[in-house]
Amino acid sequence: MRLHRLHLTAFGPFGGAQQVDFDELSTAGLFLLHGPTGAGKTSVLDAVCYALYGAVPGARQGGQGIGLRSDHAAPATRTEIRLELTVAGRRLEVTRQPPFERPKLRGTGTTTEKAQTWLREYDSAAGSWKDLSRSHQEIGEEITQLLGMSREQFCQVVLLPQGDFARFLRADAEARGKLLGRLFDTHRFAEVEKRLAERRRTAEAEVRAGDAALLADAHRMHQEAGPMAEEPLPDLAPGDPGLAEAVLSWAAVARSAARESLTIAHCARGAAESAQAVADRALDDVREADRLQRRFAEARERAARLEEHADAHRDARGRMERARKAEAVAPALDLRDSAEVEHRRAAAGETQARAALPETFAGAGAPGLATAARKAAEELGGLGSARRAERRLAELGTERASLDRQERADEDVLQDAESWLAGWEDTRADVEARIDAAQEAASRAEQLAVRREPALQRLAAARLRDALAHDTGSARARSLAAREHATAVHARWLDLKEQRLQGIAAELAAGLVDGESCAVCGATEHPAPARKIDGHVDRETEERALTGYRQAEEERAEAERRLGVVREALAAATAEAGDAPTGQLEQQAEELERLHTEARAVASGLHAAREAREQAEREHGRRLAAQQEAARRVASRASLRDSLDREKVSLEGELEQARGAAGSVSERAAQLERQVALLTEAADRVGVAQDVARRLKEADARLADAAFRAGFETPQAAAAALLDDAAHRDLQQQLDAWQLEESSVRAVLAEADTADAARRPPADLRGAERTAESAARRLRDTASARDAAARRCAELDALSTRATRGVRRLAPLREEHDRVARLAGLAAGTSADNERRMRLESYVLAARLEQVAAAATVRLQRMSSGRYTLVHSDDRAGRGRSGLGLHVVDAWTGRERDTATLSGGETFFASLALALGLADVVTDEAGGVRLDTLFIDEGFGSLDDQTLDEVLDVLDSLRERDRSVGIVSHVADLRRRIHAQLEVVKGRTGSVVRQRGADA
C-alpha cells in the first residue's frame, strides 16, 4: 500500500481546503510531520484512516460523523476527505463526506445532509478515472479486502497512533494470533481445526446415539415383555463393555418366555369360542319364542280395538254410499250455479246501461232502443261536409299565422345577415391572429418538452433519495435495535447456562437410586443428594434461551443486510439527483410543467382556429345566400295572403248554419256519437238479460229431475250428501285401513307356530342374554390376551433384529470416532501427544512470528548498538498453550527476558523494529499485503542522541525497499535531521499545512 495524495476540506482543525502530496514527501524515504500541540498533526493520520475505513483511530473514533467537522469551516462548506493510493497494483481514489449539518435553503434552522462515499480507479489505458461504487458497504468491504486488515489492525501496523505503538510488542499470544492470522491468511488452518473438531463431535454424537438407541431398544423390549420378563434388564450405560452381548442375551430369554405365553393364550381362546357358540344358539331360541309370544298378544289387542270401533266403521260406509249417489246430481248442480251467476251479472249490466240514458227511454224495450240509435246515427252522417269545412277553416287560420311568422322570421334573417356581414372583416382578422399564435405556441411547447423530461427524472430521483434517507435512518435504528436485542438475548442465555451449571448437581441427584453407583463419584450410598432450589434452570429452559439467541442473531444479520441494500439505493438516487434540494427541483419541474402546459394549451387551439376560419368563410357564404332568399320570399307572400282571406269568409257562413245551438260542428258531432253509443249498449244488455233469465229457469227444472232420479227428496239434500275430493279421499282411506287391519289380525291369529308359542310359559330373554354376554366377554378377554401375546412376540422379534443391526453398524463408527478424536486433539493442542499444547494455526503462526522476530532483530541490533535481539518462544505460559511468545535477549547479560522489562526508550525502538520487521515479512509473503507507507506517531522524545541517530539510520535505510516512513514528533532536533517535512500551523481561523520536499 502506497499513499499518493490527501485532500482535506473542513476536517478537524482544518477550516479550509488542504492538500498533502505524499509522493513528494516519500522521495526521501523519511519525512517529518511536525507542528505545535493541538495544531492537527494526528488529524492528518485520522484523515487517512477515515478515508480508508470511514472511522478514525483509537479513542477518537467517537466522532463518526458531524463531530469530525471543523469548527472553523464556513457554514456552507461541506467536510470532505479524498485519498489517492496504490494497493495490490491498483491506483484508487476514495472520497468520503461525513454527515453535514447545513442551514436550510428556506426558512430558519438547519438540516443534515447524508454521508456520501465514492470509489474510483485510474484506468492507465484510457488515461482517466472510472467510477467503481457509491455504496458505503461495498467500498468498505473492497478496501478491507485489498488491505487485508481491519481498522484496528491497520492502526497497529501502519499508523501506530500516539502512545499505542508498543501494543503488539506487549500483546498476549491470543491478540498476536488474531493479527498475524489476518496478515498471513492462516485462517485455513483454523478451519482445518474446526472441521476436525466438528467431525469429532459428529462421530461422537453418532456413537453415543448408537449406544442410546441400543439401550432404548432394550428398554422398549423390557416394556413389551412386562411380567413375562423373568430376569431384570442389565444395569449398563452407553460405552460400557459387553453392552451389546448382555442386551442380545436378555432379549433371547424374553422372546422364549413370550412365545410360551402365546401358546397358552391360543388354547384359552379356543375354549372360549366353543362356549360362546353354545350360548349364542340358546339365545336365538329364546328370542324367537319371545317374539312369537309378543306377536300373538299384540294381535289379540288389535282385534279388541277393531270391535270397539265397529259402529263408526258402519257409519263411514253409509256416508260413502250416499256420496256415490250424489255424484250423479253434481253436473246439474254445477249447471244451475253457472246460470244463476250469469243472470246476476246480466241484470246488473242492464241496470247500469239504463241509468246512463235520458228519462224518455226509461221504459223502452230492446227494439225501441235500437230504433232510437239508428235515427241518431243518420243525423250524425249528415254532418260530414260541415266537419270538413270546419277543419279547413282551422287550417286557414294556421296558414295565416304561419305566413305572419315567416314574415317576421324573414325580417329577422335580413337584419341578422346585415349585422353579421358588417363585422366580417374584423372576424376574419381575429381568426388569422389565433392561427399565428397557436403555431408559435406549438414550437415553444416542443422546446419545453425537451427540458421537462430530465427535470422530472431528477425530481423523481431526489424524492427517492429523500425517502431512502429516511429509510436509512429507520434501517439503521432497526439494525442497532436488532444488535442490542441479540446482545441482550446472548447475555440472558449465558446467565441461564451459568445458573444451570451451578445447579447441575441437583439434576444429577434426581437420577440417584439407593444401591446404584453415582455417575460422578461412583458411590452406591447417597446420604445428602443436592436439592433443586427455587428458580432452578433445567436443560429445556437453557435450550429455549439458546434458540432465542440464534433467532436474534439471524434477525440482526437480516437487519444489517437490509441496511446495506437501502444505503446502496440511496447512493444511486443521490448520484442521479445531485445535491440540489428536492424543493428546488420541484419548483423547477413545476415551472417547466406550467410553461409546457400553457404552451400546449395555446398550441392545441391551432386546429380549432383553422376550423374556425373555414367555418367563418362558410358562414359568410351562408349569410349572403340567406339574405337573398329572404328578400325573394317577402315579395311572393302578399298574393297568397289575399287568397286565404276570401276562402275564410265563405267557410264561416256555411258553418254557422250546420252547428245550430252547439258551439261547433265537432261539438254537435260528439253529442250525437255519445247518444248512439249509449242507446246501442242499452239495447244489447236488455236482450242479454232476457236470454239469461230463460236459461236459469231451464237449469232449475233439470236439477229437480236429477235429484228425484238419484233418490233424494230435494236438490238441497243431494248437495249436502256430495263430498269434495279431499273428504272423499280421507273417508276411503279410513275404510281401506279398517279392512287391512282386520285381515292382518285374522292372519296372525291363524298362524299355528304363533298360537303354539302363546300356549307355552313366558320366555326368559334376560337370563339368556346375560349368559351370552358372559361368554362373549370371556372370548374377548382371551382374544385380547392372545393378540397381546402375539404383538409382544412380534415387537420383541423386531426390536431384537434392530438391536442386532445397530450393534453391527456401531462397530465401524466407534473406530472412526477414535481415529478422528486423536487427530482433532492433536490439531487443537489438547492431546497428550502434543507436548506443547500448540494448536495447528498457532504452529503455522509461530513460524511466521519467528520470521518477523528475525527481520526485526536486524534493525533492533542497529538501534540498540548490538545489545538486543528479538526471539520467538514456544514455551508454555503456566497451564496455557504455547507457540506465540516473544522475548528479548540482552547481549550484555546473555539472558533471555520478557519484552515488558524494557525501558520506555527501549520499548519504543524495539516495537518500531518489530513493526518494520512485520511489514517486511508481510511484503515478502506470497499473497501478503505490501506496506509501502508507515507512520510513527511520537515516542522519539524518549531516545538519547546516539540512539536517535541509530533509529533514524535504520528508518532511512527503508528507501532500499522503496518504502517511506512518516514521523510525527515534537522533537526539535528531528527538523534538522529530516529534510522532507509537513508542517501543521495553527491559527485563530484554523490550521493549515506547509509542505517541503527533501530538495527544498
Side-chain angles (χ1 to χ4, degrees):
M1 180 202 72
R2 175 176 293 278
L3 305 182
H4 297 294
R5 272 179 292 276
L6 175 66
H7 299 266
L8 304 175
T9 302
F11 180 82
F14 305 103
Q18 304 294 323
Q19 178 174 332
V20 179
D21 190 347
F22 287 109
D23 287 338
E24 181 184 358
L25 294 173
S26 301
T27 56
L30 190 65
F31 63 91
L32 176 65
L33 176 60
H34 66 93
T37 301
K41 301 184 300 297
T42 306
S43 295
V44 176
L45 306 185
D46 292 347
V48 173
C49 183
Y50 187 81
L52 294 175
Y53 294 97
V56 296
R60 298 184 299 279
Q61 61 182 300
Q64 297 297 312
I66 299 177
L68 299 176
R69 178 171 174 78
S70 175
D71 296 333
H72 303 286
T77 303
R78 179 153 191 174
T79 302
E80 181 180 277
I81 301 95
R82 184 168 70 254
L83 176 65
E84 290 184 36
L85 72 159
T86 296
V87 57
R90 300 169 60 186
R91 182 150 183 164
L92 304 176
E93 180 187 77
V94 187
T95 303
R96 292 188 185 269
Q97 293 180 351
F100 171 46
E101 186 173 323
R102 61 167 177 80
K104 292 183 177 179
L105 298 178
R106 294 182 179 179
T108 59
T110 60
T111 183
T112 301
E113 295 282 353
K114 302 298 182 179
Q116 299 187 44
T117 306
W118 294 271
L119 178 62
R120 301 196 303 171
E121 182 176 3
Y122 185 75
D123 187 352
S124 57
S128 61
W129 293 91
K130 63 178 181 180
D131 294 333
L132 296 182
S133 177
R134 295 175 63 92
S135 170
H136 300 289
Q137 184 176 3
E138 288 183 359
I139 294 173
E141 293 175 355
E142 180 74 10
I143 294 297
T144 302
Q145 183 177 3
L146 290 174
L147 293 178
M149 291 178 287
S150 66
R151 177 175 58 85
E152 293 78 7
Q153 295 165 344
F154 178 84
C155 296
Q156 279 187 331
V157 177
V158 178
L159 291 186
L160 296 176
Q162 186 173 359
D164 293 340
F165 43 79
R167 183 185 303 170
F168 181 79
L169 181 66
R170 297 176 178 177
D172 56 14
E174 182 177 0
R176 287 198 191 102
K178 290 181 179 179
L179 176 61
L180 294 174
R182 185 66 180 271
L183 290 175
F184 295 106
D185 192 21
T186 59
H187 295 292
R188 58 187 182 277
F189 300 102
E191 289 297 324
V192 171
E193 298 176 22
K194 187 184 300 184
R195 290 292 299 276
L196 287 174
E198 291 177 355
R199 288 188 59 186
R200 180 192 62 191
R201 289 192 294 269
T202 302
E204 183 180 0
E206 290 177 352
V207 171
R208 294 182 63 84
D211 286 344
L214 182 61
L215 286 176
D217 291 340
H219 285 290
R220 288 189 59 186
M221 286 188 285
H222 186 269
Q223 293 176 355
E224 291 294 336
M228 299 296 102
E230 298 178 356
E231 297 181 1
L233 191 67
D235 186 13
L236 296 173
D240 289 349
L243 173 65
E245 293 77 3
V247 170
L248 295 180
S249 299
W250 182 90
V253 175
R255 289 198 305 274
S256 176
R259 290 191 177 91
E260 182 179 356
S261 174
L262 177 61
T263 302
I264 297 172
H266 268 298
C267 297
R269 186 177 186 277
E273 287 178 346
S274 301
Q276 186 192 28
V278 173
D280 288 344
R281 289 194 296 270
L283 178 60
D284 293 340
D285 295 339
V286 172
R287 283 176 175 168
E288 181 63 18
D290 179 70
R291 185 185 69 81
L292 294 175
Q293 290 175 355
R294 286 188 286 103
R295 178 177 173 83
F296 187 83
E298 291 176 357
R300 295 291 299 271
E301 292 177 358
R302 291 162 60 191
R305 287 197 296 272
L306 290 175
E307 187 64 26
E308 292 177 359
H309 297 85
D311 294 340
H313 175 64
R314 286 191 291 273
D315 291 342
R317 207 160 44 186
R319 194 162 62 254
M320 178 61 74
E321 291 176 359
R322 288 195 301 276
R324 291 194 181 116
K325 292 179 180 180
E327 290 178 355
V329 188
L333 285 170
D334 295 338
L335 181 60
R336 200 271 174 190
D337 292 340
S338 301
E340 184 176 4
V341 171
E342 291 181 2
H343 180 265
R344 287 196 298 270
R345 188 183 301 114
E350 179 185 0
T351 302
Q352 183 179 5
R354 286 183 180 276
L357 295 175
E359 294 181 359
T360 57
F361 300 103
L369 294 173
T371 302
R374 284 196 300 274
K375 290 180 179 181
E378 291 174 358
E379 184 181 358
L380 178 62
L383 292 177
S385 176
R387 294 174 69 179
R388 286 191 297 275
E390 188 177 41
R391 285 196 298 272
R392 178 54 184 165
L393 182 62
E395 291 175 357
L396 290 175
T398 302
E399 290 179 3
R400 180 58 187 270
S402 177
L403 288 175
D404 294 340
R405 288 194 302 273
Q406 291 175 6
E407 184 173 4
R408 289 192 299 272
D410 288 339
E411 291 176 356
D412 293 340
V413 169
L414 290 172
Q415 183 178 1
D416 184 53
E418 291 175 356
S419 176
W420 192 89
L421 291 172
W424 162 243
E425 294 299 332
D426 296 337
T427 302
R428 182 170 57 184
D430 182 63
V431 171
E432 292 294 340
R434 287 173 54 194
I435 293 174
D436 295 339
Q439 290 176 344
E440 181 183 356
S443 300
R444 190 167 61 255
E446 293 178 358
Q447 297 173 359
L448 291 172
V450 175
R451 297 169 55 195
R452 185 187 61 165
E453 292 302 325
L456 292 177
Q457 292 177 358
R458 287 191 64 195
L459 176 59
R463 289 174 176 169
L464 178 61
R465 176 196 63 194
D466 297 343
L468 290 174
H470 178 268
D471 294 344
T472 302
S474 302
R476 185 184 300 108
R478 288 192 295 270
S479 175
L480 180 59
R483 188 182 300 111
E484 293 176 351
H485 175 65
T487 303
V489 173
H490 185 223
R492 170 64 177 166
W493 169 57
L494 294 178
D495 292 342
L496 292 176
K497 184 174 183 180
E498 182 178 1
Q499 294 178 20
R500 181 169 179 266
L501 292 176
Q502 293 175 356
I504 197 68
E507 291 189 17
L508 296 175
L512 295 178
V513 179
D514 292 338
E516 296 182 1
S517 300
C518 174
V520 179
C521 63
T524 57
E525 295 182 358
H526 320 294
R531 303 295 181 185
K532 293 183 179 180
I533 63 174
D534 292 340
H536 175 73
V537 178
D538 55 8
R539 177 185 294 274
E540 182 179 359
T541 303
E542 180 189 350
E543 290 178 351
R544 282 200 306 270
L546 177 58
T547 302
Y549 165 60
R550 291 172 178 170
Q551 182 177 1
E553 277 294 309
E554 293 176 358
E555 293 175 355
R556 178 194 61 75
E558 178 63 18
E560 291 181 352
R561 186 191 67 77
R562 292 179 179 177
L563 176 60
V565 171
V566 173
R567 283 175 171 172
E568 293 177 7
L570 175 60
T574 303
E576 184 175 357
D579 297 332
T582 305
Q584 180 181 350
L585 295 178
E586 288 178 351
Q587 291 178 358
Q588 295 174 358
E590 289 174 359
E591 180 65 19
L592 289 174
E593 184 68 24
R594 183 185 63 80
L595 295 175
H596 181 262
T597 302
E598 292 176 355
R600 287 193 59 189
V602 176
S604 64
L606 177 60
H607 180 69
R610 289 173 176 171
E611 290 185 347
R613 180 175 61 184
E614 295 176 359
Q615 183 178 0
E617 292 175 349
R618 290 194 300 270
E619 182 69 14
H620 178 260
R622 187 184 66 80
R623 295 281 183 165
L624 286 176
Q627 185 182 31
Q628 297 171 0
E629 182 66 22
R632 185 188 60 78
R633 288 195 302 269
V634 169
S636 64
R637 195 178 294 115
S639 60
L640 180 59
R641 186 183 297 109
D642 294 340
S643 175
L644 293 177
D645 290 342
R646 288 191 301 271
E647 186 180 1
K648 177 181 179 184
V649 172
S650 174
L651 292 174
E652 286 178 351
E654 182 182 353
L655 290 176
E656 185 175 359
Q657 182 180 0
R659 63 177 172 260
S664 64
V665 176
S666 298
E667 182 179 349
R668 177 59 182 165
Q671 292 175 358
L672 290 175
E673 288 176 356
R674 187 164 55 255
Q675 185 176 357
V676 170
L678 291 175
L679 290 173
T680 303
E681 183 181 3
D684 293 341
R685 291 193 176 186
V686 169
V688 170
Q690 291 174 355
D691 293 340
V692 171
R694 184 175 65 255
R695 288 198 301 271
L696 178 60
K697 185 181 292 186
E698 292 174 357
D700 287 337
R702 283 197 295 271
L703 177 60
D705 182 60
F708 178 75
R709 285 197 302 271
F712 293 99
E713 297 179 355
T714 62
Q716 291 76 13
L722 190 65
L723 296 175
D724 57 13
D725 292 342
H728 185 278
R729 186 168 55 253
D730 293 342
L731 185 58
Q732 185 63 47
Q733 289 176 355
Q734 293 179 11
L735 294 175
D736 294 343
W738 176 278
Q739 185 176 1
L740 180 62
E741 178 69 10
E742 185 179 20
S743 300
S744 176
V745 169
R746 288 176 181 174
V748 172
L749 294 178
E751 294 175 353
D753 53 350
T754 303
D756 181 62
R759 289 192 290 270
R760 292 198 299 267
D764 186 10
L765 181 60
R766 290 190 176 180
E769 289 177 345
R770 286 194 295 271
T771 302
E773 289 177 357
S774 177
R777 188 165 51 253
R778 286 196 300 274
L779 177 61
R780 287 194 301 272
D781 294 342
T782 56
S784 298
R786 194 278 311 271
D787 294 341
R791 189 166 54 251
R792 185 182 301 112
C793 289
E795 188 66 22
L796 288 175
D797 290 341
L799 290 173
S800 298
T801 301
R802 190 166 73 177
T804 303
R805 288 198 302 266
V807 170
R808 293 172 181 171
R809 186 178 63 254
L810 194 58
L813 290 177
R814 192 180 301 279
E815 294 176 1
E816 174 70 12
H817 169 257
D818 294 340
R819 182 172 60 256
V820 172
R822 287 194 301 272
L823 288 176
L826 187 63
T830 58
S831 173
D833 297 333
N834 192 334
E835 297 180 358
R836 295 187 177 276
R837 301 186 64 190
M838 184 181 295
R839 295 171 51 234
L840 177 61
E841 185 183 15
S842 299
Y843 177 79
V844 176
L845 291 177
R848 294 292 184 266
L849 184 59
E850 197 169 353
Q851 296 176 357
V852 171
T857 298
V858 174
R859 296 184 175 89
L860 180 59
Q861 286 181 341
R862 290 181 60 187
M863 295 180 187
S864 63
S865 300
R867 178 179 179 182
Y868 293 116
T869 301
L870 282 175
V871 295
H872 160 254
S873 173
D874 57 4
D875 294 337
R876 293 176 55 181
R879 299 181 61 185
R881 300 179 184 179
S882 59
L884 296 178
L886 195 62
H887 291 172
V888 61
V889 177
D890 190 347
W892 290 3
T893 62
R895 302 189 59 178
E896 181 178 328
R897 53 192 173 95
D898 192 86
T899 55
T901 61
L902 296 175
S903 65
E906 292 171 342
T907 299
F908 168 73
F909 61 68
S911 59
L912 178 58
L914 186 62
L916 296 175
L918 179 63
D920 290 342
V921 174
V922 170
T923 303
D924 295 337
E925 174 70 17
V929 180
R930 179 177 176 85
L931 303 176
D932 296 323
T933 305
L934 298 176
F935 291 93
I936 304 172
D937 190 357
E938 290 298 347
F940 291 89
S942 59
L943 305 179
D944 55 43
D945 292 341
Q946 181 181 355
T947 304
L948 180 60
D949 289 337
E950 294 173 349
V951 169
L952 292 179
D953 289 341
V954 171
L955 295 178
D956 190 58
S957 67
L958 294 176
R959 72 178 66 193
E960 300 172 1
R961 301 174 63 96
D962 193 21
R963 182 178 297 149
S964 63
V965 177
I967 298 176
V968 183
S969 178
H970 291 89
V971 179
D973 193 34
L974 290 176
R975 301 177 193 175
R976 178 181 55 81
R977 297 170 183 255
I978 302 175
H979 300 288
Q981 298 180 8
L982 180 67
E983 182 181 5
V984 181
V985 181
K986 66 178 179 179
R988 299 180 61 87
T989 60
S991 298
V992 296
V993 296
R994 296 175 182 172
Q995 185 168 327
R996 186 177 66 180
D999 298 333

